[in-house]
Amino acid sequence: MLQDIFPKQYHVEFTWKNPQMEDLCFVFRGQETLERLENNQLRLPTYGELSPLAEGAVYLFRVDERDYFLVCLKEGALPVGYEWHTIRGERRKKSKEMVFAEATAHHLDLWYRANRFCGHCSAPTEHDRRERMLRCPACGEMIFPKICPAVIVAVTDGERILLSRYQRRTYKGYGLIAGFVEIGETAEETVRREVMEEVGLRVKDIRYYGSQPWGLAGNLSLGYFARLVGDDAIYLDGKELSEAGWYRREEIDLETEDYSLTNDMIQAFRRGEHEERTERGNYDVTEL
């Protein structure tokens, strides 16, 4: 999946430091990032390339021994040879660690941009130098990165799995039921609610499969398998989904990719491996 960059290691520990000329940098413009195409591979700029144009740099994280920074450029500045590329696109032209680093850096960029001012007193916030935190110098409010928990649910019925397509999404392929955990809910309660809301089905035997940071939307995705209980008739929520249906293993036509938890779960079911990969101790047999 996206975060599986072994043997390279991701180090999230925060420290306050200045960028060195060889450090790699992210510059974002909405859903785009600044990259350069060389030998059909996209690469990030170094701070040495950006330093004459930079207005500020904030340390993000380290992968192995390489530091990454978030850089803001002067208005209208663009280093020679670099162009804007969509974050979600052209993954085959990027290394696995670059795709992961890009998503994680984008998550932090969105957080920094959304919290330039204090939500309590409206004063401009400042970077804390000991923790990854924004602090309000006027009222003392402390603001930490926001992570939104969400569930991804593979509903199964024997040899069948429920696949769906979402409305108004860039991705048009098949996926699984998904939704955000609401205030006061457990993840298992979210599984039941989302399945009922989106397709009108009841589930039992909710089993944890795995998790994934999804910085592109600021999420922490929690994957679950759940078994159908009762009627298999689908009552589609037309606001969320464009279609949904039951598919047998041999009917699943989905290309394997190495980035999303959703794809990993579907492929595990397709190969008949999902039962052995779910944790036996996480059963929840409550039925609606």
Side-chain angles (χ1 to χ4, degrees):
M1 290 185 281
L2 182 75
Q3 70 273 22
D4 298 328
I5 60 173
F6 183 83
K8 294 185 179 294
Q9 289 189 313
Y10 167 62
H11 300 274
V12 70
E13 302 86 2
F14 179 77
T15 184
W16 185 265
K17 62 172 70 174
N18 294 319
Q20 303 301 307
M21 291 300 178
E22 69 276 10
D23 291 336
L24 295 178
C25 301
F26 284 102
V27 182
F28 292 103
R29 186 180 70 175
Q31 296 294 315
E32 299 176 309
T33 185
L34 201 62
E35 295 165 335
R36 179 173 184 164
L37 188 63
E38 291 182 355
N39 300 320
N40 204 36
Q41 290 291 304
L42 288 169
R43 77 166 181 87
L44 295 170
T46 64
Y47 185 71
E49 293 173 296
L50 298 183
S51 57
L53 309 174
E55 286 191 328
V58 178
Y59 175 74
L60 293 173
F61 46 77
R62 180 163 51 91
V63 176
D64 282 352
E65 300 303 318
R66 199 71 180 268
D67 288 341
Y68 288 77
F69 281 79
L70 183 64
V71 172
C72 180
L73 298 181
K74 298 174 183 176
E75 183 70 27
L78 196 68
V80 176
Y82 284 89
E83 298 177 322
W84 297 106
H85 294 265
T86 59
I87 297 172
R88 293 177 181 265
E90 303 180 287
R91 285 175 176 166
R92 288 186 173 85
K93 295 180 181 178
K94 304 173 186 178
S95 65
K96 187 70 176 293
E97 65 267 22
M98 180 175 171
V99 174
F100 169 69
E102 186 174 70
T104 307
H106 183 58
H107 186 171
L108 286 166
D109 178 60
L110 292 176
W111 171 67
Y112 280 126
R113 290 178 184 274
N115 293 280
R116 291 178 297 171
F117 298 92
C118 176
H120 283 252
C121 72
S122 301
T125 56
E126 297 177 349
H127 290 273
D128 189 83
R129 297 202 171 203
R130 292 182 297 177
E131 298 182 75
R132 181 170 280 116
M133 175 181 73
L134 293 170
R135 185 187 297 275
C136 176
C139 72
E141 177 69 9
M142 298 181 292
I143 309 166
F144 293 90
K146 183 177 73 172
I147 302 172
C148 303
V151 300
I152 297 174
V153 191
V155 181
T156 64
D157 179 33
E159 297 298 307
R160 304 187 300 168
I161 187 172
L162 183 73
L163 300 182
S164 60
R165 296 184 197 266
Y166 275 87
Q167 294 274 22
R168 299 177 295 276
R169 296 285 181 89
T170 303
Y171 175 69
K172 301 301 182 183
Y174 279 107
L176 300 172
I177 302 299
F180 289 101
V181 178
E182 297 287 352
I183 292 175
E185 278 188 325
T186 65
E188 291 79 13
E189 288 169 338
T190 305
V191 167
R192 298 190 199 97
R193 176 181 55 79
E194 287 291 343
V195 174
M196 177 57 70
E197 287 180 356
E198 295 190 3
V199 289
L201 298 174
R202 295 185 299 156
V203 294
K204 65 177 182 178
D205 295 347
I206 299 169
R207 294 150 292 149
Y208 176 72
Y209 177 84
S211 65
Q212 176 176 49
W214 194 249
L216 298 172
N219 300 351
L220 175 63
S221 300
L222 308 172
Y224 290 89
F225 275 84
R227 293 190 177 96
L228 174 72
V229 57
D231 190 0
D232 69 350
I234 296 170
Y235 299 92
L236 195 69
D237 176 7
K239 295 180 181 179
E240 290 287 337
L241 303 178
S242 62
E243 61 179 288
W246 293 103
Y247 291 82
R248 295 187 176 277
R249 288 188 173 90
E250 63 272 14
E251 297 174 325
I252 297 174
D253 183 18
L254 183 68
E255 182 181 352
T256 301
E257 46 95 330
D258 192 28
Y259 296 101
S260 72
L261 177 60
T262 295
N263 190 281
D264 196 71
M265 293 173 67
I266 295 173
Q267 299 301 341
F269 175 83
R270 187 182 192 180
R271 296 189 298 267
E273 299 173 355
H274 64 292
E275 294 288 357
E276 62 189 65
R277 291 181 60 179
T278 52
E279 293 186 5
R280 300 297 178 178
N282 284 342
Y283 273 75
D284 183 330
V285 296
T286 304
E287 297 182 15
L288 291 175

